[in-house]
Amino acid sequence: MMRREVHDMVKLMNQPRRTIPLIDGMTILFVIVAVVSGIALWVLHGPDRFASAVGDAGLLLLLVLPIVVMAVLMGAYVQRLVTPALARRWVGTESGFRGLLLATVAGTLTPGGPFAAFPLVVGLYHAGASLAVCVTYVTAWGVLGLQRVFVWEIAFFGVEFVLLRLLVSLPLPFIAGYLTLLLFRRRDRR
Amino acid sequence: MLLAYVSVAVLTVLVIYVASRREDVRHGEVLSGGWRELRPLLVRLPVALLAAGFLAALIPERWMLMLLGDASGIVGILLASLLGAVLPGGPIVTFPLAMALASAGVGTPQLVALLTAWSVLALHRVMAFEIPMIGWAFVWRRLAVSLVLAPLAGLLAAWFLSVGR
């Protein structure tokens, strides 16, 4: 059973990347939100306020777009250089400080969205990594993940804010890992 | 902003340089992969920016300052953590919205808490990806230990800012 799951996950990881639809449910929802809130803004605050909001959004798009384009290009290369197999080799089965440290580094460097990171966690867990290591990995991928920082966060919030956020986030994967050890030690391997 | 452009540009060039030294990396393949990822963003980004801008203009600044401004302190950090956990969608939705909130007066520690909560709790992502892919047994334990992380990040940010001043 477990062996089959691992096999499935390895297959999932090696699949060519899922093609992202041009327009999905979320896009449609946001078009609706934009139309409704745009009408509300026009009605409540007048056309001037509406026009300035549109202008601000356009300006922001011009500022952000070059960074997003460059960062997506960078991300495409990083994804080619750092494969899931490579990331899995870094994270061992240790769950001491060294194990958590390696999981943090791997999570920080894992490129791609949830479709790249979560199968890796399943693979790690079945390959014998402890629950604490897996939790540390997911937390590091979330709060420190460099791809998201470069594609999105720097473009929107600037380097100074990003550095502050990364600095306060450094201990978080370890805290999550040690809390897991503390609370779920006994059930760790189910 | 200039620093943002420069740092991303330098890293991009660096990564391309490293890749070009490896013979097994085919640039055409990488570029078409990148284009596949970029294409939907070109549709979603303008829409998300517009929606976030309209929403931010609709929320009265006075409320925003009271609930999530710099002076809102720990209560604001907790509220921001809650808001971050329920924000739907990926970075393309969250970052424009968070930026609109920031320009409407949300404090820096509160913004750190919001983004951290969205990164580790993101209930939308948990339901769409994590539970189906990894299973509830893992997910509830991870969520349980992650609850403290966003408020903690916000408090740490507030502390750093007060020390730096």
Side-chain angles (χ1 to χ4, degrees):
Chain A
M1 174 66 192
M2 203 180 247
R3 192 170 289 272
R4 220 193 62 209
E5 275 173 26
V6 176
H7 182 72
D8 288 348
M9 277 304 162
V10 170
K11 245 173 48 192
L12 188 63
M13 280 189 280
N14 293 337
Q15 261 176 12
R17 249 175 296 147
R18 193 178 54 137
T19 47
I20 311 159
L22 205 53
I23 291 169
D24 65 348
M26 214 59 207
T27 317
I28 294 168
L29 179 70
F30 252 64
V31 170
I32 295 170
V33 172
V35 170
V36 172
S37 57
I39 292 172
L41 187 64
W42 183 299
V43 171
L44 292 174
H45 297 283
D48 287 348
R49 202 61 201 280
F50 175 84
S52 85
V54 173
D56 285 349
L59 192 66
L60 191 58
L61 183 67
L62 288 180
L63 281 173
V64 163
L65 201 58
I67 295 188
V68 171
V69 171
M70 271 193 290
V72 166
L73 179 67
M74 178 174 73
Y77 275 102
V78 171
Q79 283 177 35
R80 179 63 187 77
L81 294 172
V82 185
T83 56
L86 187 63
R88 197 165 41 165
R89 230 174 44 206
W90 290 340
V91 186
T93 51
E94 288 178 68
S95 68
F97 177 78
R98 220 179 98 86
L100 298 188
L101 183 68
L102 286 172
T104 302
V105 172
T108 305
L109 296 177
T110 301
F115 229 75
F118 289 148
L120 186 72
V121 174
V122 177
L124 284 175
Y125 194 56
H126 288 309
S130 70
L131 186 65
V133 163
C134 293
V135 168
T136 304
Y137 172 84
V138 175
T139 308
W141 170 76
V143 298
L144 300 174
L146 286 181
Q147 191 183 10
R148 190 189 285 155
V149 165
F150 282 109
V151 178
W152 299 109
E153 207 176 352
I154 284 184
F156 280 100
F157 295 110
V159 174
E160 202 180 320
F161 173 83
V162 171
L163 285 179
L164 173 72
R165 197 193 61 74
L166 288 178
L167 187 66
V168 303
S169 297
L170 275 180
L172 302 183
F174 295 94
I175 292 171
Y178 279 116
L179 273 178
T180 308
L181 282 177
L182 201 71
L183 293 174
F184 304 117
R185 189 182 285 275
R186 233 170 249 190
R187 301 192 193 174
D188 197 340
R189 296 298 309 167
R190 263 188 291 180
Chain B
M1 201 63 196
L2 187 66
L3 194 57
Y5 280 107
V6 172
S7 57
V8 174
V10 166
L11 275 165
T12 306
V13 171
L14 201 72
V15 168
I16 293 175
Y17 173 72
V18 170
S20 69
R21 292 184 58 113
R22 287 217 347 214
E23 281 167 13
D24 60 323
V25 175
R26 282 206 295 278
H27 293 275
E29 212 175 86
V30 175
L31 286 179
S32 74
W35 173 241
R36 263 207 314 275
E37 268 176 42
L38 185 64
R39 228 173 33 140
L41 298 187
L42 296 179
V43 178
R44 290 173 203 185
L45 191 56
V47 178
L49 286 173
L50 264 183
F54 289 150
L55 283 177
L58 282 172
I59 303 170
E61 216 157 293
R62 203 159 39 91
W63 288 15
M64 193 76 89
L65 282 175
M66 194 178 72
L67 292 174
L68 298 171
D70 264 318
S72 65
I74 293 180
V75 177
I77 287 174
L78 289 175
L79 266 178
S81 304
L82 200 66
L83 187 63
V86 298
L87 272 188
I92 191 132
V93 174
T94 302
F95 282 110
L97 208 59
M99 195 197 167
L101 290 176
S103 56
V106 170
T108 303
Q110 286 76 14
L111 195 60
V112 168
L114 186 146
L115 286 174
T116 306
W118 169 75
S119 318
V120 294
L121 299 176
L123 296 178
H124 158 86
R125 196 181 68 209
V126 166
M127 285 188 283
F129 295 101
E130 201 174 354
I131 294 175
M133 287 170 110
I134 312 185
W136 180 239
F138 173 82
V139 173
W140 81 260
R141 290 182 175 88
R142 189 186 73 74
L143 290 180
V145 301
S146 300
L147 284 177
V148 295
L149 300 180
L152 193 65
L155 288 174
L156 273 175
W159 181 71
F160 269 113
L161 289 173
S162 71
V163 167
R165 244 164 231 157

